[in-house]
Amino acid sequence: IKIDNSDLRKLISFARNKKNKLKKSRFCCHNHIKDKVHEMIIYHEKNYYVRPHKHPGRSESAHIIKGKVDILIFNDEGKILEIVKLGDKTTKSIFFYRLNCDYYHMFIIKSRYLIFHETSLGPFKRNNIKFAKWSPLNMTKLFQKSISQKIKNYENLQKKK
């Protein structure tokens, strides 16, 4: 499988199509849903909600191709343990991150859009994803406000260290 800039343009075009209500798209680079390794090139718009979730007993990695994102890492109660700031090579930020532990995590997309290469263990099964009970199914203003406050609290604690 080879992916170039014209493929990324197709990925963006598909996501921005009026019929695509979720405004996201992905190229699956693995052959089958039952494969032991899943690799995907994923596109998300800035305000796309990645609900806090974890993959018990599994690792997941993200390599940023285009854009910037903060990955929020939470404990089981929803306290932020870490904020990993990632960006593509033009941002001079960290561009690769692998989460090896069973922590809840979510993306806060900082750029207009984000394109990233995700690798995770297969086979894919919905019940391998555990969503945080303290997170809503869809983003709400109240939850957004709560996350913003948690980020401020985390950043204030980091300044004191």
Side-chain angles (χ1 to χ4, degrees), residues 52 54 73-81 102-104 130 132-135 143 146-147 150:
K54 64 181 174 179
I73 310 298
F74 300 93
N75 67 11
D76 286 348
E77 291 75 40
K79 178 182 178 187
I80 295 177
L81 301 175
D102 292 345
Y103 288 120
Y104 288 108
K130 184 176 179 186
K133 292 179 182 174
W134 42 262
S135 68
F143 187 69
S146 168
I147 291 296
K150 288 179 184 203

Side-chain angles (χ1 to χ4, degrees), residues 83-99:
I83 298 175
V84 182
K85 296 178 178 295
L86 298 172
D88 63 44
K89 66 180 183 176
T90 66
T91 67
K92 298 183 179 165
S93 298
I94 296 166
F95 58 84
F96 177 85
Y97 181 70
R98 179 177 166 139
L99 181 63

Side-chain angles (χ1 to χ4, degrees), residues 3-13 15-16 24-27 40-46 62-69 86-89 95 107 109-118:
I3 295 177
D4 62 16
N5 286 328
S6 69
D7 294 313
L8 296 182
R9 286 191 292 276
K10 290 174 191 172
L11 189 73
I12 294 168
S13 178
R16 292 181 176 169
K24 70 175 187 173
S25 59
R26 72 178 60 214
F27 288 134
M40 298 147 286
I41 306 297
I42 302 172
Y43 172 95
H44 290 321
E45 292 277 331
K46 179 176 179 71
H63 169 212
I64 307 306
I65 296 170
K66 185 84 173 143
K68 292 176 76 173
V69 64
L86 298 172
D88 63 44
K89 66 180 183 176
F95 58 84
F107 284 18
I109 299 166
K110 307 301 266 184
S111 51
R112 185 171 158 225
Y113 62 88
L114 179 70
I115 299 176
F116 62 104
H117 173 207
E118 180 179 290

